[in-house]
Amino acid sequence: MNHLDKNQKYIDHLFDVVEKLDLADRVTMKLSRNQFVSKAHNPESNLYLLVEGVIITSLVGTDGFRINLSYMNKPGIVTLLRDEEERVVEQPYDIEVDSDKAKLYKVNRVKFWELVNHDEMLNRYVKIYYREKINENVQKFIRHVGSNRIGQVKIFLYECAQIFGVKDPKTGYILINHKITHQTIADFCGIKNRSSITRIMGELIKIDVIGKHSGLILVKDMEYLEEYTQSI
């Protein structure tokens, strides 16, 4: 299911430019699963670029309930950039590693904005980044308010198949090639009770929409998930 990102030329250019920075302005981070890149409300003088691995962005409410916002598994900008004139900003959300290993660049935000303001291609990419983030958040909001619990899980599985999916050319089934726990699904779907996820997943297995393969989720009826998601 993975395909070449339509913005790949911009992302390649971004990394070409960033990798020429002095080491003082670009720090390489190598982290393991469940380690945090940064946490919400931390003062930040840097921004982060994912080089390889999988991360989850999330927010924790005042009641301690976690809401996962998005997965990221391709190279690119991780953090919202905020006002370019500010040297230090408040980190808007938690960034947690969700793969065995991940590599990121921590880039001085002032230096990054200097690059953006003097590089037309980088400037264009930042505008695309903002626009796509806005569109992504609007879509998530619409789907969230328009779905019940089982609908939220259907949408989540469809999106994960888009992000991590590997299609079997013989069966047409799509393996979600990433380890996803029921707690992670609950946190993405805004469901506090993990047992509800277990029940919903069981129902989807019974009607042959999904299955299990070596501890991973196997989507057997992608059309079913797609039709529901597109109807919201």
Side-chain angles (χ1 to χ4, degrees):
M1 294 296 293
N2 290 327
H3 56 277
L4 186 65
D5 194 301
K6 64 181 183 297
N7 297 324
Q8 192 62 49
K9 64 179 181 179
Y10 296 108
I11 294 167
D12 289 344
H13 181 67
L14 167 68
F15 280 92
D16 284 344
V17 172
V18 166
E19 287 172 353
K20 293 175 183 176
L21 288 173
D22 293 338
L23 293 181
D25 295 318
R26 173 184 56 83
V27 176
T28 299
M29 302 175 67
K30 294 183 178 181
L31 303 175
S32 302
R33 187 183 297 274
N34 299 133
Q35 285 189 296
F36 284 90
V37 179
S38 187
K39 301 203 74 173
H41 311 303
N42 282 355
E44 275 290 358
S45 58
N46 303 287
L47 60 89
Y48 299 91
L49 307 179
L50 179 65
V51 181
E52 58 186 40
V54 180
I55 58 171
I56 292 177
T57 56
S58 62
L59 292 170
V60 178
T62 54
D63 60 353
F65 181 56
R66 180 174 295 278
I67 295 290
N68 287 342
L69 303 175
S70 64
Y71 273 118
M72 184 172 178
N73 71 331
K74 295 180 180 179
I77 298 172
V78 177
T79 46
L80 295 173
L81 304 178
R82 297 285 183 98
D83 192 332
E84 65 183 273
E85 296 179 358
E86 297 182 51
R87 290 180 175 273
V88 179
V89 298
E90 183 180 303
Q91 171 62 29
Y93 41 63
D94 289 350
I95 307 168
E96 184 179 5
V97 174
D98 197 53
S99 50
D100 291 338
K101 301 290 181 184
K103 177 181 175 182
L104 299 97
Y105 289 147
K106 180 168 68 173
V107 181
N108 178 277
R109 56 176 285 105
V110 173
K111 178 59 69 173
F112 180 82
W113 276 110
E114 287 177 0
L115 294 174
V116 170
N117 290 330
H118 292 88
D119 187 308
E120 184 179 345
M121 199 166 181
L122 277 185
N123 195 288
R124 194 176 305 135
Y125 174 56
V126 168
K127 290 177 181 177
I128 292 170
Y129 170 86
Y130 275 126
R131 184 171 63 249
E132 290 186 345
K133 283 296 178 184
I134 291 170
N135 291 339
E136 177 186 314
N137 291 335
V138 168
Q139 282 298 317
K140 285 183 181 295
F141 176 76
I142 291 171
R143 289 173 179 173
H144 181 74
V145 299
S147 301
N148 55 18
R149 286 185 173 189
I150 191 169
Q152 290 288 335
V153 175
K154 291 176 185 177
I155 293 169
F156 174 76
L157 292 173
Y158 173 74
E159 292 176 344
C160 284
Q162 296 285 92
I163 298 169
F164 302 112
V166 179
K167 189 171 185 177
D168 186 319
K170 294 182 179 179
T171 64
Y173 295 166
I174 297 169
L175 182 70
I176 297 178
N177 194 27
H178 184 68
K179 184 178 179 181
I180 302 173
T181 67
H182 284 190
Q183 185 60 57
T184 297
I185 298 173
D187 291 345
F188 266 105
C189 297
I191 299 173
K192 292 187 178 182
N193 192 344
R194 187 175 60 184
S195 63
S196 295
I197 300 298
T198 302
R199 176 180 56 78
I200 292 168
M201 295 291 281
E203 291 176 5
L204 293 173
I205 289 172
K206 281 182 182 178
I207 62 174
D208 218 28
V209 173
I210 62 170
K212 290 283 188 175
H213 179 75
S214 301
L216 301 175
I217 300 168
L218 183 68
V219 177
K220 302 169 81 173
D221 192 344
M222 185 65 168
E223 185 177 348
Y224 174 88
L225 297 178
E226 183 176 18
E227 285 181 358
Y228 178 83
T229 301
Q230 298 302 330
S231 71
I232 301 299

